[in-house]
Amino acid sequence: MIRAATSQALRRAVRSSTRGAPSCAIPGNMSFHASAKREEEASAEAAAPVESKGGLFGTGLSEWFALPIGITAAVPLVKFDWYVVNEETQLLAVFLAFCVTVYTQGGDAIYKALDQKAVDLLKEHTEAEDKVIEALEQKLVFLKANQNMVNDFEAINEIRAETYEKLNAAGAIKPQHDFKAQVQRMLNMIAQEEASHTEKVKTALMAEATATVTEKFSTDKALKKAALDAAISKIKGGTAGADPIQAAFVQFFKDKAAAVKASGDDSEEKAQREAMIAKMNSVAKNEGFFFQFDSKGNPSMTV
């Protein structure tokens, strides 16, 4: 009997709650069709919900009236043993008290904890989306910047072709400049060697002439007297004849030239030429010149 009464009360409560609920929340009242607009408007007007009065079971009375009604109904239920208060009832009461206490005292804290977790998750999700958006924006900027990549590569290829043409033109002239520089280097080296050899020959001739004239004046008393008289005459400022020492040096060089001409020995000149050719070939080989010299001193191209 208690179960029947309870079921009936629940049915009434569900009916009253469905009456006051909006039409969008009632699945049974929702209909989907593809008819014309007028038919949809007609069906919407037909399915318009009836406004609920609210309150206790939709009667408009305050919900606090349920307390005295419940107490009045509980007295005969307990009196006639229609409902037996046992350990299950006590356990249900304790559970309901626990639920109410948790809801009233800790509900806000639980809500805030769950809400904070949701906020944190939303924040992390938003940050991840912002990073993805930023990466996509950077990629978009990069793609926009690379729109003219084809034109840039074409310009680079044109510049490369022009550069190769200029290098080829310069490559045709560069060996000529290198050959000219090598010839100038060789001529300068020959001039330096000749100057050095000439200076050595002069020094050797002067040393030999000095030794010969000194020995000649040391052994010949007449030459000594003539040289002394010439020196005294110059000191006095008088008129002096030819200087015997100068005449002796001039005579030595004349005799030396005549002796060399008469001898016809060019071995020293040949030895000097061979040494010069060997030195020039060594320089040409070490520095990668385009030519070398044969035994007669004639140049020959090596490239």
Side-chain angles (χ1 to χ4, degrees):
M1 185 176 181
I2 291 297
R3 292 177 180 176
T6 305
S7 300
Q8 187 177 2
L10 289 174
R11 290 193 188 98
R12 290 177 180 176
V14 170
R15 290 175 183 174
S16 61
S17 62
T18 54
R19 289 174 186 173
S23 61
C24 62
I26 303 175
N29 293 334
M30 297 177 65
S31 60
F32 298 91
H33 51 81
S35 59
K37 185 176 181 182
R38 293 180 179 178
E39 295 179 359
E40 291 180 358
E41 294 176 354
S43 63
E45 292 177 358
V50 180
E51 294 184 0
S52 176
K53 297 180 181 180
L56 182 62
F57 300 128
T59 59
L61 299 176
S62 177
E63 294 178 353
W64 287 101
F65 284 99
L67 183 59
I69 293 173
I71 294 174
T72 303
V75 171
L77 290 174
V78 175
K79 176 65 177 176
F80 294 105
D81 293 332
W82 294 342
Y83 181 76
V84 179
V85 179
N86 53 11
E87 64 276 4
E88 294 180 356
T89 305
Q90 295 176 0
L91 182 60
L92 177 61
V94 172
F95 180 72
L96 292 175
F98 171 76
C99 292
V100 172
T101 303
V102 170
Y103 178 76
T104 56
Q105 302 299 324
D108 190 23
I110 295 173
Y111 167 76
K112 289 181 179 179
L114 295 176
D115 185 66
Q116 183 63 33
K117 186 176 180 180
V119 171
D120 294 340
L121 290 175
L122 180 61
K123 183 179 179 181
E124 292 177 359
H125 184 69
T126 304
E127 291 177 354
E129 287 183 347
D130 292 339
K131 291 181 180 179
V132 173
I133 292 171
E134 184 179 358
L136 291 176
E137 288 178 351
Q138 292 179 356
K139 187 175 181 180
L140 178 61
V141 172
F142 176 75
L143 292 175
K144 287 182 179 180
N146 291 335
Q147 288 180 350
N148 296 327
M149 185 179 294
V150 176
N151 296 330
D152 295 339
F153 278 109
E154 289 179 354
I156 291 172
N157 289 331
E158 291 178 358
I159 295 173
R160 184 184 292 111
E162 293 178 359
T163 304
Y164 285 154
E165 291 178 358
K166 293 179 180 179
L167 287 175
N168 291 331
I173 300 174
K174 187 176 183 300
Q176 299 178 5
H177 290 280
D178 294 341
F179 181 73
K180 179 181 178 182
Q182 293 172 6
V183 172
Q184 289 179 350
R185 169 74 185 281
M186 201 61 67
L187 292 175
N188 292 332
M189 187 174 68
I190 293 172
Q192 291 177 0
E193 289 293 329
E194 288 181 351
S196 176
H197 179 70
T198 302
E199 190 66 25
K200 291 180 180 178
V201 171
K202 287 181 179 180
T203 303
L205 285 175
M206 287 301 298
E208 184 180 358
T210 302
T212 303
V213 172
T214 302
E215 183 180 1
K216 187 175 181 181
F217 276 82
S218 298
T219 56
D220 193 345
K221 294 182 179 179
L223 291 175
K224 284 183 180 181
K225 185 176 182 307
L228 181 60
D229 294 338
I232 293 172
S233 177
K234 286 183 179 180
I235 293 172
K236 292 181 177 181
T239 302
D243 188 358
I245 298 176
Q246 182 179 2
F249 274 101
V250 172
Q251 187 62 38
F252 171 80
F253 287 119
K254 287 181 179 180
D255 296 340
K256 188 70 176 177
V260 170
K261 186 176 180 180
S263 64
D265 185 11
D266 56 350
S267 58
E268 183 179 358
E269 185 178 355
K270 289 181 179 180
Q272 181 184 358
R273 179 182 296 175
E274 291 176 358
M276 185 66 186
I277 292 173
K279 186 175 181 180
M280 289 190 298
N281 286 331
S282 176
V283 173
K285 184 178 180 180
N286 292 332
E287 297 186 7
F289 283 5
F290 298 155
F291 56 89
Q292 284 187 349
F293 297 93
D294 57 9
S295 59
K296 296 181 179 180
N298 295 324
S300 59
M301 301 299 293
T302 59
V303 292

